[in-house]
Amino acid sequence: MSDQEQADAADDAEEAESEEATEEETGGLQDGDFVRIAYTIRTVDDGQVIDTTDEETAEEAEIDTEEYEFEPRIIAIGAGHVFPSVEEALIGQSVGDTGTIEIPAAEAFGEFDEEEVKTVKADKIPEDDRYPGAQVQIDGEQGRLETIIGGRARVDFNHPLAGEDLEYEYEILEEVDDREEQAAGMLGMYLQEAPEVRIETVTEEEEVTVESDDEDGEPETETQEVENEVLYIEATPQMTMNQQWMFSKQQIAQDLMQRLDLDKVIVEEVIDGGGMGGLGGMMGGMGGGAGGADIEEALEEADVDADELVEELDEE
């Protein structure tokens, strides 16, 4: 072995040792890892449960267990799925680890702002909602009605948990490596439901720019076959009407592609039910189904003889 080869081998060995040492120093979960986590969030002052993945805890807190699914969530560390303090605590942790993190109000739902408690005209509030504690919407802002006297109402536009320090209790159940599970988990965090998903490698034809053989020639385009990693999402009616999806689907798709190394996201709308019965009313206009009588009436109005039309069609 030459001196240069020996030097190169020594450099490679040193680099490998350095990488191994770095891995040991930064062992455990890292930014970008996906984990399944169980958690319960309470207010520090009175221990009120405001969110949990545990159904028994929800029942004890008298949270409606029929409206929501209580099960551990999949989160991507570093994606903003949990509070920053929690993400920091998860770095370096391992499966099976537990912990409790205190989240200051400023990081949670903000400090209470007295200026967000405003007096408005009572006629801006529907009569059915004119009672203390009612959730009301005024000029596009969501608030809680505190008092109403005569023609004036006092409304608190702070978040209901503004000024509350929180306690985040968690357990790391497993690391999630399957990309379809990861995709479903991310969608679940965004939409509060996890639709059916699948990832496929699809061969598609795309136009690409290639350099011309002629030095003075302009670049040319040609069609080439490329393999794309595509995420298919089966859109449920609930998903298509979800406000978070309606207003942020481009951002959600971009986040999915970036974190899961995808080339494309395709949303498939599935419509259940059979038959063409529903089209009859549309084709028949306001009068109902497009039956034979309706067709004959339409032909008569157009001064067309139905028998003559059939004969002409047969001759063709």
Side-chain angles (χ1 to χ4, degrees), residues 53 108 128 192 212 244 275 290 310:
T53 58
D128 292 344
Q192 303 306 309
S212 173
Q244 178 81 352
V310 171

Side-chain angles (χ1 to χ4, degrees), residues 73-310:
R73 303 282 182 85
I74 296 175
I75 66 167
I77 299 176
H81 293 163
V82 291
F83 299 110
S85 296
V86 177
E87 288 193 319
E88 291 175 11
L90 294 177
I91 298 294
Q93 296 276 295
S94 301
V95 172
D97 286 350
T98 62
T100 301
I101 307 298
E102 188 165 315
I103 313 297
E107 183 185 324
F109 297 99
E111 299 287 1
F112 187 85
D113 185 354
E114 290 287 353
E115 294 184 0
E116 288 299 310
V117 182
K118 304 175 183 179
T119 299
V120 302
K121 292 182 179 180
D123 59 13
K124 287 191 172 185
I125 301 172
E127 290 188 11
D128 292 344
D129 294 332
R130 294 179 187 177
Y131 60 89
Q135 295 296 319
V136 296
Q137 190 167 30
I138 299 173
D139 298 333
E141 288 188 90
Q142 191 77 22
R144 183 178 63 85
L145 180 60
E146 289 190 338
T147 59
I148 184 166
I149 301 176
R152 312 293 287 178
R154 192 144 175 90
V155 181
D156 181 3
F157 290 101
N158 285 283
H159 189 282
L161 293 169
E164 293 277 5
D165 295 331
L166 305 179
E167 184 180 82
Y168 191 104
E169 182 183 353
Y170 69 88
E171 178 181 3
I172 303 170
L173 302 178
E174 65 173 327
E175 190 168 355
V176 179
D177 297 320
D178 183 85
R179 286 199 300 163
E180 291 183 352
E181 280 192 78
Q182 293 172 351
M186 287 184 66
L187 286 166
M189 291 298 297
Y190 280 121
L191 310 176
Q192 303 306 309
E193 67 165 316
E196 295 292 328
V197 301
R198 69 183 190 279
I199 295 176
E200 295 181 3
T201 302
V202 180
T203 302
E204 300 177 314
E205 291 188 347
E206 292 184 0
E207 286 191 351
V208 296
T209 303
V210 295
E211 295 294 332
S212 173
D213 294 334
D214 186 353
E215 293 182 0
D216 298 328
E218 295 182 357
E220 301 175 351
T221 60
E222 65 178 33
T223 301
Q224 293 183 356
E225 285 191 347
V226 296
E227 287 191 345
N228 287 328
E229 291 285 287
V230 181
L231 170 66
Y232 293 89
I233 303 172
E234 183 176 312
T236 62
Q238 292 83 358
M239 175 180 166
T240 56
M241 297 301 293
N242 183 292
Q243 288 192 352
Q244 178 81 352
W245 175 254
M246 291 167 61
F247 295 115
S248 306
K249 58 185 173 184
Q250 184 69 29
Q251 178 184 342
I252 294 172
Q254 291 291 342
D255 195 16
L256 286 163
M257 287 189 286
Q258 179 182 353
R259 294 199 170 272
L260 301 180
D261 194 22
L262 298 164
D263 298 298
K264 190 181 296 185
V265 173
I266 295 178
V267 181
E268 300 176 319
E269 185 175 5
V270 179
I271 301 176
D272 292 326
M276 300 288 286
L279 296 178
M282 294 163 51
M283 297 172 66
M286 300 297 292
D294 293 330
I295 294 174
E296 288 179 3
E297 289 175 8
L299 290 173
E300 287 176 5
E301 291 177 4
D303 195 21
V304 175
D305 187 283
D307 293 332
E308 291 181 4
L309 180 59
V310 171

